[in-house]
Amino acid sequence: MSETTRRWAGTSAWILLVLASMVLIGYGLARSTFFIWAPEPALLDAARVGGLFIDAGCMLSLAAAVWSHLRGNPAWVTVCVGLPAVLVGWAALIDAHSLMRHLAAAVAFPLALAGVAEVIWARGHRQRG
């Protein structure tokens, strides 16, 4: 296997990890969305399961940030890829049933995608010297 193929295989796996974290967080937010007091057991159970998806997505986002650092990506890419975990995870810890989680995702997701775009733009090369 050539060097270019190995580099793109690692880059593709990292990109899929970032996207998987965003999909899990997004699905968890969609599943756990209710903004009024809801004593119905079905809604509370859906919110609990959605919270688990959010937690799993945040763990994947942290793993992607660590991997980004180990790959030699610029610091801003590593920070942007880890932002969904930090912002959405923090908002979910503060209040598991508020719009703050959605606002955090609206801020963090475009930044994470910008980090992915930078890595693609650099053609998967290590960027630190």
Side-chain angles (χ1 to χ4, degrees):
M1 187 182 290
S2 72
E3 174 69 25
T4 304
T5 305
R6 268 187 276 127
R7 183 181 68 239
W8 274 111
T11 300
S12 298
W14 177 78
I15 290 169
L16 288 175
L17 183 64
V18 173
L19 295 177
S21 74
M22 292 174 28
V23 166
L24 283 175
I25 291 172
Y27 181 72
L29 288 172
R31 183 155 178 142
S32 65
T33 300
F34 68 88
F35 305 111
I36 57 172
W37 185 71
E40 296 178 25
L43 287 178
L44 293 176
D45 189 49
R48 184 189 60 78
V49 171
L52 294 175
F53 276 102
I54 292 170
D55 293 342
C58 289
M59 290 300 121
L60 285 183
S61 180
L62 284 177
V66 169
W67 193 4
S68 174
H69 177 71
L70 295 175
R71 285 178 41 85
N73 291 333
W76 75 268
V77 171
T78 301
V79 169
C80 286
V81 167
L83 274 178
V86 174
L87 295 179
V88 177
W90 171 75
L93 284 176
I94 297 297
D95 186 3
H97 305 294
S98 75
L99 271 177
M100 194 164 49
R101 301 171 303 161
H102 296 78
L103 295 174
V107 169
F109 281 10
L111 292 172
L113 289 175
V116 168
E118 170 63 26
V119 170
I120 292 171
W121 185 263
R123 297 191 176 116
H125 289 287
R126 293 185 186 270
Q127 298 172 14
R128 269 193 234 138

